[in-house]
Amino acid sequence: MASKHFWLFQITLISLNLVVSSFPDYSRMGQLSPYYYDRSCPRLEMIVRYNVLVAFKKDTRIAASLLRLHFHDCIVDGCEGSVLLDDTIDMKGEKNALPNRNSLRGFDVIDNIKTDLEKFCPCTVSCTDILTLAAREAVYMSGGPYWAVPLGRKDGITASDKSANEQIPSPIEPLDNIIAKFTSKGLEVKDVAVLSGGHTIGFAQCFTFKRRLFDFKGSGKPDPNLDTSLLSSLQSVCPNSDASNTNLAPLDSTVDTFDNYYYANLVNNSGLLESDQALIGDARTASLVNYYTTNPTLFFNDFAASMVKLGNVGILTGQSGQIRKKCGSVN
């Protein structure tokens, strides 16, 4: 049945193939554009959308996983697909860095998209662009905003677990540190507040927030700012033992829906992660939290804009990098 639907998608693109010749060839210009692949791979966005949809119907959690995968790629040495690379004898990459080990998901979805694209337009679309598009589709399928994705990135040829360990924000580090990590990439304080809103979908493992439940900052007591009813619920999901470390708790009560409830949770002291709850306690971000709580349209617009900014961090274009034939290894 899925195969039948896929070929129906192909038929709908016939008209597109007839008109792409009217677009400039951005791939020859060496610049990012939503139309970059219109000549060289006009089926691209439909293939990405189909594969993400298939995965999403099997497991709605995949939406948050793809969004997180894209963020963890871009925040570490820029958006160049390094998070997708497997370890080699000569390179210890990002997949098994502490923030990613047994945590990142969605690699199979990206690989499936790449396999399909290699059939229709071989050696044309970078894995980095695939991941960037997949993140957009994941957000949109969850009820979030849709935005034009500038394309034309190349893939990097190396990865570093050290870079991942140092550059990925931790849910328990001070907000000042997190802001510094964002601004070092050319992002702003506003982007911290906006992109954190991606936590409106998905789950977190207990070890990422458990100290708030039992030993907040070494006090031997729970975080006094955490809503008491949420505290009780979380303690039942995450008992105070190592055996519960990988148990999952929803980041937001509307865990499968991309909305602005995340910010309402922060206002009500019901943010799951310390790094999230800190946004309402800092003057630089609190006003944004309050704005987004009452204005979902503003949040959606700002999230789309911040995702475009994120997707431009440290990119490789033109003669830099390569188009990987397989996303897990360099050519």
Side-chain angles (χ1 to χ4, degrees):
M1 183 62 70
S3 178
K4 181 185 292 185
H5 288 319
F6 181 71
W7 287 109
L8 287 174
F9 282 140
Q10 305 312 309
I11 293 171
T12 63
L13 290 173
I14 291 175
S15 60
L16 175 61
N17 291 332
L18 296 176
V19 300
V20 292
S21 59
S22 64
F23 288 100
D25 190 352
Y26 289 93
S27 63
R28 292 183 178 275
M29 298 179 185
Q31 64 188 60
L32 295 191
S33 166
Y35 313 109
Y36 186 88
Y37 295 107
D38 279 6
R39 286 172 175 264
S40 59
C41 193
R43 292 177 170 86
L44 168 60
E45 294 202 24
M46 189 63 73
I47 290 173
V48 173
R49 184 167 302 130
Y50 171 78
N51 278 277
V52 174
L53 180 60
V54 169
F56 184 75
K57 286 186 173 181
K58 291 179 180 177
D59 175 15
T60 54
R61 280 183 60 207
I62 198 64
S65 297
L66 290 170
L67 178 58
R68 184 167 181 258
L69 191 61
H70 172 56
F71 175 76
H72 279 221
D73 179 39
C74 293
I75 207 68
V76 179
D77 297 331
C79 307
E80 20 72 293
S82 56
V83 74
L84 304 173
L85 287 172
D86 295 323
D87 289 355
T88 67
I89 295 175
D90 301 317
M91 182 193 74
K92 192 173 181 181
E94 298 171 24
K95 283 186 176 181
N96 290 305
L98 290 175
N100 296 334
R101 187 183 308 158
N102 300 319
S103 173
L104 286 185
R105 304 168 69 241
F107 297 103
D108 56 330
V109 179
I110 304 304
D111 288 341
N112 289 341
I113 294 170
K114 183 62 173 175
T115 297
D116 285 346
L117 287 172
E118 287 301 305
K119 295 175 184 176
F120 290 101
C121 40
C123 303
T124 301
V125 182
S126 70
C127 297
T128 311
D129 276 346
I130 292 171
L131 180 53
T132 309
L133 278 171
R136 189 271 308 275
E137 294 299 329
V139 168
Y140 186 63
M141 287 178 192
S142 301
Y146 187 90
W147 61 92
V149 176
L151 300 166
R153 301 164 189 79
K154 295 293 180 64
D155 297 320
I157 58 174
T158 188
S160 166
D161 67 325
K162 181 176 184 292
S163 292
N165 286 329
E166 293 175 350
Q167 297 175 31
I168 295 174
S170 162
I172 63 172
E173 69 181 311
L175 184 58
D176 282 341
N177 292 20
I178 295 174
I179 289 173
K181 289 180 177 181
F182 272 67
T183 55
S184 72
K185 308 298 179 182
L187 300 171
E188 302 172 17
V189 173
K190 180 179 180 180
D191 298 309
V192 177
V194 176
L195 294 175
S196 294
H199 286 166
T200 184
I201 53 175
F203 293 77
Q205 296 186 63
C206 288
F207 78 89
T208 62
F209 59 86
K210 192 188 289 186
R211 78 171 191 172
R212 297 189 71 196
L213 311 182
F214 304 102
D215 187 24
F216 184 59
K217 297 183 178 179
S219 67
K221 299 178 181 180
D223 182 348
N225 294 318
L226 185 61
D227 177 79
T228 54
S229 60
L230 178 61
L231 171 63
S232 177
S233 174
L234 291 175
Q235 286 178 333
S236 67
V237 174
C238 306
N240 194 16
S241 68
D242 290 344
S244 70
N245 281 350
T246 57
N247 292 356
L248 298 174
L251 285 159
D252 184 332
S253 56
T254 56
V255 66
D256 292 329
T257 303
F258 196 100
D259 54 31
N260 66 329
Y261 282 23
Y262 163 85
Y263 295 102
N265 289 341
L266 302 187
V267 172
N268 294 323
N269 291 319
S270 297
L272 184 64
L273 305 178
E274 288 178 46
S275 56
D276 290 334
Q277 193 59 53
L279 296 174
I280 193 64
D282 191 291
R284 293 168 293 181
T285 52
S287 60
L288 288 166
V289 171
N290 286 310
Y291 287 147
Y292 297 145
T293 298
T294 57
N295 194 330
T297 301
L298 177 63
F299 167 49
F300 275 30
N301 291 341
D302 286 354
F303 187 84
S306 284
M307 285 295 288
V308 173
K309 288 177 65 177
L310 175 66
N312 286 335
V313 170
I315 58 173
L316 302 173
T317 60
Q319 299 303 309
S320 301
Q322 62 179 216
I323 303 294
R324 290 187 214 138
K325 296 178 182 178
K326 293 185 178 181
C327 292
S329 59
V330 299
N331 297 341

